[in-house]
Amino acid sequence: MGLDSTTTWIIVVVSGILLSGLLIFLLLPKEDVQWITANGVRIQSIPKDANIVYVNNSMEKRVAELYKSGKLLAFRGESIGGGIDTVTARDKAKINAFKELSEYFTAKVQTFATLVEGQLQSATGQNAQQVKSVALDAYKRVTQLFSDAQVSGAYIYAIWEERVGALVYTYVQLVFDPAGAIEALKQNEEISKQIEELGKSGVDFFKALNAVIEEAQK
């Protein structure tokens, strides 16, 4: 029994749709990269042939939240080796990631100083300069804590490796979580006391620090 014209038409249309879909799929440019993700959210693109060594699954939800809210502040450390001593390579990359974090905040000293000047209320003249000096000292000590990885709130989120000839490039992605870092600073008795004294002169240290952090996220 032959097919009627309606059935034949349907088969032709469906075949055409399927063929068009196949052609579109084949002609679409393929991504040259793969992605580090957090709860399904694309966080960092890396070469397609890179080897993802580690993803901090316990922090995926938080990293995704930071990314979606535009508050993800990430730094990348790198080390180059022969691919044999992977532990040392990852440690070096981690140290370099923390250095990147510290260098960022160190570069913002003047921004912080300007913010502090705008906050000074009860201090005047020479006393204002002294208060500003104390605030800058506290800020520099905080950046050192970041550099030495002594403040929680900065954590390793991902590690990956790229092989180029005989060399292996190891990368560490460090995520800086403002909320966690500020809470950790408040628990540091020495820093907390210094910041409390600054508050008596109208300097809100954490407000200024937050403004520096927000600048990085623009």
Side-chain angles (χ1 to χ4, degrees):
M1 182 185 293
L3 296 173
D4 61 41
S5 59
T6 302
T7 304
T8 302
W9 181 82
I10 291 172
I11 291 172
V12 170
V13 170
V14 171
S15 298
I17 292 171
L18 291 173
L19 182 60
S20 298
L22 179 61
L23 286 172
I24 290 170
F25 173 77
L26 292 173
L27 293 174
L28 278 175
K30 302 297 185 296
E31 277 195 313
D32 246 358
V33 299
Q34 60 177 313
W35 291 85
I36 303 290
T37 63
N39 265 21
V41 178
R42 291 178 169 186
I43 300 300
Q44 172 72 51
S45 64
I46 64 175
K48 198 170 186 178
D49 57 355
N51 176 37
I52 299 174
V53 175
Y54 167 78
V55 174
N56 190 341
N57 295 321
S58 66
M59 299 306 296
E60 280 197 68
K61 184 178 178 182
R62 177 58 179 161
V63 171
E65 287 171 356
L66 289 169
Y67 183 85
K68 289 176 181 177
S69 63
K71 294 181 179 179
L72 181 64
L73 189 54
F75 299 87
R76 190 176 73 175
E78 172 189 293
S79 69
I80 305 171
I84 298 172
D85 190 351
T86 56
V87 173
T88 299
R90 291 168 195 172
D91 283 344
K92 284 182 180 177
K94 176 182 174 181
I95 289 167
N96 288 333
F98 274 102
K99 281 182 180 176
E100 287 291 318
L101 185 157
S102 178
E103 285 170 8
Y104 169 78
F105 283 103
T106 299
K108 297 297 179 184
V109 169
Q110 188 52 53
T111 300
F112 182 82
T114 302
L115 291 165
V116 167
E117 282 180 346
Q119 288 184 5
L120 285 171
Q121 297 169 4
S122 58
T124 57
Q126 186 63 36
N127 190 35
Q129 286 303 312
Q130 185 179 353
V131 172
K132 181 181 170 184
S133 177
V134 171
L136 288 177
D137 178 65
Y139 181 80
K140 288 173 182 176
R141 291 179 64 200
V142 164
T143 63
Q144 187 59 49
L145 289 175
F146 292 160
S147 177
D148 295 341
Q150 293 179 30
V151 175
S152 59
Y155 47 83
I156 302 303
Y157 182 68
I159 302 173
W160 66 95
E161 296 171 343
E162 298 173 24
R163 184 172 288 278
V164 181
L167 297 176
V168 174
Y169 290 73
T170 301
Y171 296 96
V172 163
Q173 184 188 50
L174 175 74
V175 167
F176 178 80
D177 190 328
I182 287 173
E183 277 306 307
L185 288 172
K186 287 178 179 178
Q187 301 305 314
N188 184 307
E189 190 175 339
E190 197 174 349
I191 291 287
S192 183
K193 186 177 180 181
Q194 197 171 16
I195 290 170
E196 186 180 340
E197 288 299 313
L198 288 168
K200 294 175 183 177
S201 297
V203 175
D204 187 332
F205 182 90
F206 290 119
K207 183 178 180 180
L209 180 61
N210 262 324
V212 169
I213 294 168
E214 286 171 6
E215 186 178 292
Q217 296 159 349
K218 291 178 181 176

